[in-house]
Amino acid sequence: MTTELPVGDELLALLTTDMTGLTRGRWIAASSPDKTVLKGCGWVPANLALTPFDVIAENPWGSSGDLRLKPDLATRFRVSTLPETTALNGVLCDITNLDGTPWHGCGRSFLKAALADLERETGLTVTAAFEQEFQIREPEWEQAPSFSLAALRRADPFAPLLMAALREAGVEPEMVLAEYGRDQFELVCGPSDAVTAADRAVLIREITREVGRCCGLNTTFVPKLTPDGVGNGLHIHFSFRDKDGTPVTYDPARPGRVSEATGHFVAGVMRHMPALVALTAPSAVSYQRLKPHHWSAAYTAFGALNREASVRICPVPEGQGVDIAKAFNLEYRAADNTASPYWALGMIVRAGLEGLRHKLPQPPLVGMDPASLSESEREKLGLHRLPASLPEALAAFSADETVSGWLHPDVRRSYLSVKQKELDLVEGLIDAEICSRYASVY
Ligand code: GLU
Ligand code: MG
């Protein structure tokens, strides 16, 4: 019996991204004549209790139960252009119960359900795009200037290979750039429906790692690579359309030019943000990034063109033939790449829907760094400091019964237990060691 694949053969991955933001799966030989597996393969409930450091946390399922990974065939992708490696071939999956119904621990299904509720109750659909920052870890490299051609070319052929690989996978990247931080890059993706946007965020992470590997470069999406370095953010852009597909985020007559519905949505997000960050900035290292003066998000602040705002109204080129209503979008900045794009966006949609249900008033616009205001000025504007650590975020999550109630009790229990275990595993490490520990996984 031979266990060798034919030369040049490749594997087909069935993939799912869990609540720690890590993508896991099962593989078959792509040339296998038995493609029935594309109808689904087995999966284990307790997998949801894996910490990023692979130790499994206590969970409600233990050894019992069984699930299916159900491929969404519309997400099939294949990257064949990378040098000296087999093609990266895969499909993204939902997790279902054995009867085919969505499992409550599936982030992709959680996002779909949140979007369906939003649409049913308000007629709104979400267009989204994720911007992802990451770094190349090459300690030997001299520092290259921020945003410079030199910084991008030094990593060559990394950036053009990445763009080509993403295009081949159907991701529609808009831009790659050398960012401000040391060997920091950013990948900007074009807008799409919300589930596709989250799928693309997953592919961007995995394909970036893959291209890095092929170029002999070590890439990381860790929120902070060094305590005093620049943060790597995950910026979640969103806008709305009505039933007819007409963009409805923009209203030039209102403050910040955001429509009434958008104002309610943002108000819901702001109200629940201290709890939301438990899933959008969900790791111990996330809170080294969510600090004042980091251009990330330290307060519940809504602002136009303000990079210290946690929800930012993004700039749109004016008078250049651009359809402003169509291009107009907002950005949630209190997220990083230790989050699952599905759970993160699903939670944002649920919080926004709460704002719409209760017609919460649009928050005031904040034009400056909230940390530069006095305590009483912040109080007047309703700006609250976001949790300063993962334990604080988990406490805010548990205290907000609306937010914690969006998770099935078993999923909530498992999630809190995973995060507690994760904290135990980094207990006693200094900040720099925590950065490295997470960088080795993310
Ligand atoms: N690196 C910043 C962050 O951690 C974002 C900088 C920017 O606005 O692009 O989110
Ligand atoms: Mg950036």
Side-chain angles (χ1 to χ4, degrees), residues 131 133 179 184 186 230-235 289 294-296 307 333:
E131 275 175 11
E133 292 172 333
E179 248 279 8
Q184 186 183 39
E186 175 170 326
V230 163
N232 292 306
L234 172 70
H235 298 159
R289 170 177 167 263
H294 272 62
W295 289 25
S296 58
R307 285 187 162 80
R333 294 172 70 86

Side-chain angles (χ1 to χ4, degrees), residues 2 83 137 270 291 341 375-376:
T2 172
R137 297 169 80 187
M270 284 298 165
K291 284 182 174 168
E375 195 65 60
S376 68

